[in-house]
Amino acid sequence: MTSETPVLSVSSLVKRFGDVTAVDGVGFELMPGASLGIVGESGSGKTTTARILAGLDEPTSGTVLLAGEPVTGRSRRARLHRARLLQMIFQDPYGSFDPRQTIAESVAEPIRLHLPDLSGADRRARVAELLDQVGLSERAGGSPPRELSGGQRQRAAIARALGIRPRVLVLDEAVAALDVSIQAQILTLLDSLRRDTGIAYVFVSHDLAVVRHITDTAVVMRHGRIVERGDTETILRDPQHPYTRLLLDSIPVPGWDLDRVARDRRALDASR
Amino acid sequence: MTLTIPALRARGAKRRRRRPLAVTLAIAFLLAAAATGALAPLLAPHSPDATSLLDSLAPPGTAGHLLGTDSTGRDVLSRLMYGARLSLLAPLGVVLLSGVLGTALGLLAARAGGWVDAVLSRLMDIVFAFPSLLLAMLVVAVFGPGLTAPICALAVSYTPFLGRVVRSVAIQEGARPYMESYRAMGFGELRTTVRHLLPNMTPVLLAQSALSFGYAMVDLASLSYLGLGVRPPAADWGSMISQAQSAILQGAPGSGLIPGVAVLLTVVSVNVLGEHIGGSIARRGEGT
């Protein structure tokens, strides 16, 4: 496998729920160590796309290639193959741990599943290393999730996802539920993890400031379609699609013109 | 292993929250009833089946017969102690059987969804609609009296009672992000269900089981009363009440009232305990 092979390659992905088409012909590529933003509002299909990548939903049609190989189905082999290469971080840091397990036990679970030959001592060492890597104390590792703050839990979720050294991390609104100061900490952590491990990110978010910080390239989704793609900086500085402009104008800044935003939205909705 | 200690400590601290007096009394009564049943041969002053027509219908407090005797002169206290065995074990059997069946079916329905859920749910509705006592009497009519047939029949008719609760709780709990995160980690449905979903549901299971224990006890006592359960002369509280009918007419209510009170206290105790467990789930829900 050369570094020229995209680690994740998605083409003409379609997902229908009954009459609703949530994802409509989405395609993109992700090179190893790259970071791609998927931007859009609620209902734009970005979370569904992320869930398909993680194998939580099956696409109606289209293909997902991981390291050049197609992944489909929920057979044991397919499941393990996919999880080895791609892990996901969820929006809700409060609910993403089994309340009966300590953080360290939760972090150990995927290692136990994917590296069953690892001895107990080695596994504990790996867990300690992971917790250290995300800046969690040994004491936090021994606590049940309810005793940790949201930021600590999201750190723990990152540690759990990194445990089996996946090549892609899908982050679905991973910092949206956190305070702004905590957001910054987590983003800084993600940045340094990417530099250290060479992992690639698919960063799903409605928050353009966050996307600007964490991604190199981005796609903008609306009604299940990609309406604009390119370098994150370029898109955010010089948006081509009216919807991207609208998203940018919707951010509250000094001199913000709410009426103009509402007018633009009506015009955009009418044009469709 | 050392990592689990803080979690245990946290749980221990929670348990130390003051337990209501009623719950303490309920636990004490159930333990005492179970102990007397288990140790009946040591504790009972007489053989439960020894008849003595000369001593028949002695009132409670008679020398040698603390709780009196029944119409054939058998010692009520001894029969009460021996009766505790069947009267507690039979409902326990019903609860365990229906617990296993109900949990399995409820989890299957919740996790499989789709047509499996639809079929299982309707099936449980049908069984739920059928009166449990009637089903038990039907089974006894077919298989003859004894305890096995009514226990199985009651277990089947109690299964939807637990199954429906398990299904709805499993759907609710299964939608929580941690279950999804285990799927995304590559774990299979069976393993996440058994290792993560089920343990998080145990308080609900315990609370429901406690409630069905109370129902099962009353139903089994009713069957015994109707002469369809335990075969004489074996003692159980339901048949003791039924055999005391004539004695009540003769003005000696003791031999019927005493086992009746035993049934009542047991059912109340189990329900108090079930309510308490159910209440602590609600508290846990507020906590997280």
Side-chain angles (χ1 to χ4, degrees):
Chain A
M1 206 179 310
T2 66
S3 62
E4 297 312 304
T5 321
V7 70
L8 172 67
S9 168
V10 177
S11 53
S12 41
L13 209 59
V14 176
K15 176 68 181 178
R16 288 195 194 90
F17 296 104
D19 291 339
V20 184
T21 306
V23 177
D24 192 0
V26 164
F28 52 78
E29 286 189 346
L30 186 69
M31 300 309 281
S35 179
L36 170 85
I38 301 183
V39 184
E41 337 168 274
S42 315
S44 60
K46 55 191 198 310
T47 291
T48 307
T49 307
R51 290 176 56 85
I52 292 171
L53 295 182
L56 296 175
D57 282 329
E58 284 295 314
T60 310
S61 66
T63 53
V64 176
L65 300 181
L66 273 171
E69 286 177 46
V71 285
T72 42
R74 288 283 304 166
S75 72
R76 184 178 161 80
R77 243 182 74 88
R79 240 170 34 218
L80 292 180
H81 172 67
R82 182 198 294 263
R84 256 332 264 277
L85 292 168
L86 182 145
Q87 286 284 307
M88 183 162 174
I89 305 278
F90 294 85
Q91 171 172 5
D92 176 14
Y94 294 94
S96 38
F97 289 93
D98 184 340
R100 296 178 67 262
Q101 287 183 310
T102 66
I103 292 299
E105 284 167 351
S106 286
V107 172
E109 287 274 338
I111 303 174
R112 203 190 297 266
L113 174 71
H114 290 275
L115 306 167
D117 300 331
L118 212 62
S119 74
D122 284 350
R123 193 168 53 233
R124 274 191 293 278
R126 176 78 180 126
V127 170
E129 181 194 337
L130 284 164
L131 292 176
D132 185 56
Q133 207 173 4
V134 299
L136 282 179
S137 67
E138 206 175 310
R139 194 164 160 266
S143 308
R146 65 171 171 278
E147 288 176 12
L148 265 56
S149 69
Q152 283 177 309
R153 287 186 215 194
Q154 209 57 303
R155 284 171 190 274
I158 293 168
R160 181 173 61 174
L162 292 180
I164 49 174
R165 298 192 172 87
R167 301 189 60 204
V168 181
L169 194 56
V170 178
L171 302 109
D172 181 17
E173 299 279 12
V175 296
L178 305 174
D179 293 344
V180 179
S181 63
I182 310 293
Q183 274 191 7
Q185 288 178 17
I186 298 291
L187 291 175
T188 311
L189 171 69
L190 287 171
D191 247 355
S192 66
L193 285 174
R194 182 155 75 102
R195 267 198 311 278
D196 295 347
T197 63
I199 194 171
Y201 292 153
V202 175
F203 199 95
V204 177
S205 181
H206 68 280
D207 189 334
L208 297 171
V210 165
V211 168
R212 167 176 269 157
H213 182 90
I214 199 85
T215 66
D216 316 322
T217 56
V219 296
V220 180
M221 282 185 74
R222 177 166 190 256
H223 297 315
R225 290 208 185 87
I226 294 181
V227 295
E228 185 161 4
R229 63 174 80 220
D231 286 348
T232 310
E233 264 319 305
T234 317
I235 290 181
L236 296 185
R237 201 182 314 118
D238 184 20
Q240 298 301 309
H241 194 276
Y243 177 68
T244 317
R245 274 201 291 277
L246 182 69
L247 282 182
L248 281 165
D249 285 344
S250 306
I251 302 170
V253 286
W256 188 36
D257 187 350
L258 204 65
D259 290 335
R260 189 166 62 86
V261 174
R263 216 165 39 241
D264 287 350
R265 159 130 351 226
R266 278 196 299 276
L268 187 65
D269 287 343
S271 73
R272 200 185 127 83
Chain B
M1 285 312 271
T2 52
L3 295 170
T4 57
I5 289 170
L8 287 176
R9 202 182 299 140
R11 257 176 243 157
K14 209 176 204 179
R15 198 167 294 157
R16 240 170 277 132
R17 196 182 314 202
R18 231 169 64 85
R19 180 186 288 152
L21 179 67
V23 177
T24 314
L25 287 178
I27 293 173
F29 176 80
L30 290 175
L31 285 179
T36 41
L39 302 174
L42 299 174
L43 295 176
H46 299 276
S47 157
D49 304 330
T51 56
S52 159
L53 287 175
L54 289 176
D55 291 333
S56 71
L57 293 179
T62 311
H65 298 289
L66 196 59
L67 293 179
T69 57
D70 67 5
S71 49
T72 51
R74 295 177 294 195
D75 184 49
V76 171
L77 178 63
S78 306
R79 283 184 75 71
L80 197 66
M81 286 175 162
Y82 277 94
R85 295 175 159 190
L86 286 179
S87 298
L88 293 176
L89 281 181
L92 193 67
V94 173
V95 167
L96 288 180
L97 264 178
S98 67
V100 170
L101 271 175
T103 306
L105 291 180
L107 279 180
L108 186 63
R111 302 300 287 164
W115 65 267
V116 178
D117 183 20
V119 169
L120 284 178
S121 294
R122 291 300 81 71
L123 212 66
M124 287 199 271
D125 286 348
I126 292 169
V127 177
F128 198 65
F130 206 86
S132 54
L133 262 186
L134 211 58
L135 182 68
M137 286 164 72
L138 201 73
V139 171
V140 172
V142 174
F143 292 100
L147 267 180
T148 323
I151 287 177
C152 293
L154 286 180
V156 167
S157 56
Y158 286 5
T159 295
F161 182 67
L162 194 70
R164 297 214 291 195
V165 175
V166 167
R167 177 182 166 273
S168 70
V169 175
I171 287 176
Q172 206 183 343
E173 191 78 17
R176 290 184 51 180
Y178 74 88
M179 291 296 292
E180 292 248 284
S181 71
Y182 279 110
R183 286 185 69 195
M185 275 184 253
F187 286 101
E189 296 297 322
L190 186 66
R191 181 175 155 139
T192 44
T193 303
V194 173
R195 283 208 45 192
H196 299 287
L197 184 60
L198 193 56
N200 278 301
M201 291 173 52
T202 35
V204 184
L205 294 181
L206 285 177
Q208 284 297 317
S209 302
L211 288 180
S212 26
F213 184 93
Y215 286 121
M217 180 150 206
V218 171
D219 278 356
L220 283 164
S222 313
L223 284 176
S224 291
Y225 176 82
L226 294 172
L228 297 173
V230 178
R231 268 196 265 205
D236 100 296
W237 297 345
S239 54
M240 283 173 74
I241 301 173
S242 118
Q243 286 155 19
Q245 277 185 105
S246 56
I248 292 173
L249 294 178
Q250 291 168 37
S255 58
L257 267 183
I258 289 161
V261 168
V263 171
L264 183 77
L265 284 178
T266 310
V267 172
V268 168
S269 298
V270 170
N271 281 356
V272 165
L273 203 59
E275 290 264 322
H276 178 66
I277 299 170
S280 38
I281 311 168
R283 277 199 298 279
R284 192 194 74 152
E286 284 158 24
T288 40

